[in-house]
Amino acid sequence: MPARPQPVEGIPDRLYGRRRGHPLRPRQTRLMEDLLPRITLPDPADPLAAFPVAPAPLWLEVGFGGGEHALALARAEPATALIASEVFENGLCSLLTHLAPEGGEATAPLPPNLRLWPRDARHLLAAMPDGSLDRLFLMFPDPWPKSRHAKRRFVHPAILPLLHARLRPGAEWRIASDDPTYQAWVEEVMGDQPFFAPTARHDTHPEGWPSTRYEAKALREGRRPRWWVWTRR
Ligand SMILES: C[S@@+](CC[C@H](N)C(=O)[O-])C[C@H]1O[C@@H](n2cnc3c(N)ncnc32)[C@H](O)[C@@H]1O
C-alpha cells in the first residue's frame, strides 16, 4: 500500500459506526480472504490503471451498504469504471456474494468495470489525482442527527475543497438522504459555497437512480427521501 494519505483538514481522521457485525460465516470469510483482495483497487494514486476498460469515465460511490446501487450501476454502465467504497464487513460481503459462486471466490472472473475500496472513502479521495472523477455518489449516508456529531457527516464544509479538486469540471455529485436533519444540513452546507452548483432536487425517486436498501427501508417506514444533483463548477 502507498503511504497513508493526509486526512481531510478540519475533519477527525476516524470512522464512526460499525465496521464489524456478526462473526463471518465460512463463505463470507472466503469472500473476504480470496475475492476481496482480487477486486480491491491497488493504487489510489492511479485509479484507472486497475481497470481493463480504461480510458473511461470514472465514478465513485461512497458507503455502498449492501451494494445494490453499485452493482446496478456497474451492470448498466459497462463502459464506465466504478469504484465502490464501504467499510462495513457485512456490506462488503453482501456485494461480493453477487460476484462469485460458492467455491469460485479465488477464480471467478471479475467484472471489468468495478473495483472496491474497502476502507474510508476519504482516504481514497485524498490520495487520488485531481480531476479524476466524473461522478460521485453518496446514497443515504449515516445521518448523525445530533448537532454535536456534525463533524461525522460526510457532507461537510471542510471536505468540499477536496471534492472540488478530485472531480472534473462539470462532474455530478449525487446525494440522497431520508433524514430530515441531514436534508436540511445538505441544503445549508451546499447552499453557500463556491464549489458546486445546484442542478436538481427531487422529492420522488428520480428515474435512472438504482434503489438502495436504505431507501427501501426509509419508504417502508414512512420517511420522505430527497435526492439532489450538484455540478462541480
Ligand atoms: C446508512 S448506510 C447507507 C448504505 C447504502 N448507501 C444504502 O443506501 O443502502 C451508510 C454506509 O456508509 C458507510 N460509510 C460511512 N462512512 C464511510 C466512509 N468514510 N467511507 C466508506 N464508507 C462509509 C457505512 O459503513 C454504511 O454502510
Side-chain angles (χ1 to χ4, degrees):
M1 283 301 299
R4 187 176 169 81
Q6 289 296 304
V8 181
E9 207 175 314
I11 297 182
D13 182 25
R14 58 165 297 191
L15 278 165
Y16 299 90
R18 291 192 305 171
R19 304 196 65 184
R20 286 234 154 93
H22 302 294
L24 299 182
R25 295 186 295 276
R27 157 77 162 159
Q28 292 178 311
T29 303
R30 286 196 300 279
L31 290 169
M32 293 297 285
E33 289 181 357
D34 297 338
L35 179 53
L36 181 62
R38 297 171 57 220
I39 198 169
T40 293
L41 185 78
D43 180 5
D46 189 6
L48 274 182
F51 293 91
V53 293
L58 181 64
W59 294 358
L60 169 64
E61 178 169 357
V62 174
F64 62 69
E68 310 79 29
H69 183 268
L71 287 168
L73 286 182
R75 285 175 187 142
E77 303 283 344
T80 294
L82 174 67
I83 304 171
S85 164
E86 175 56 60
V87 292
F88 186 46
E89 266 190 350
N90 293 70
L92 289 160
C93 289
S94 295
L95 186 151
L96 291 171
T97 199
H98 293 279
L99 302 184
E102 287 267 2
E105 295 85 358
T107 53
L110 302 175
N113 64 333
L114 176 65
R115 292 295 175 266
L116 303 189
W117 179 258
R119 290 183 275 280
D120 187 332
R122 295 170 304 177
H123 288 145
L124 167 60
L125 284 157
M128 62 176 25
D130 282 351
S132 301
L133 289 173
D134 294 279
R135 196 171 288 185
L136 177 66
F137 298 90
L138 180 69
M139 310 309 296
F140 301 89
D142 297 312
W144 300 112
K146 293 186 180 147
S147 53
R148 68 191 159 89
H149 291 153
K151 278 204 170 168
R152 302 179 181 189
R153 299 174 189 155
F154 186 89
V155 174
H156 192 280
I159 205 172
L160 297 184
L162 175 68
L163 300 181
H164 182 259
R166 301 308 189 250
L167 269 67
R168 284 188 227 287
E172 272 187 15
W173 182 11
R174 296 188 175 188
I175 307 176
S177 177
D178 61 305
D179 182 273
T181 307
Y182 208 92
Q183 291 172 348
W185 171 255
V186 167
E187 290 183 357
E188 182 189 328
V189 171
M190 300 302 286
D192 183 22
Q193 43 76 32
F195 305 110
F196 293 88
T199 304
R201 188 186 110 168
H202 306 274
D203 291 320
T204 54
H205 186 112
E207 209 170 314
W209 295 43
S211 295
T212 76
R213 202 177 285 187
Y214 267 79
E215 175 187 334
K217 184 165 182 270
L219 292 171
R220 266 197 321 273
E221 293 175 1
R223 290 190 294 281
R224 306 194 51 187
R226 185 168 293 165
W227 296 261
W228 299 264
V229 181
W230 309 89
T231 303
R232 194 274 204 201
R233 291 188 204 268

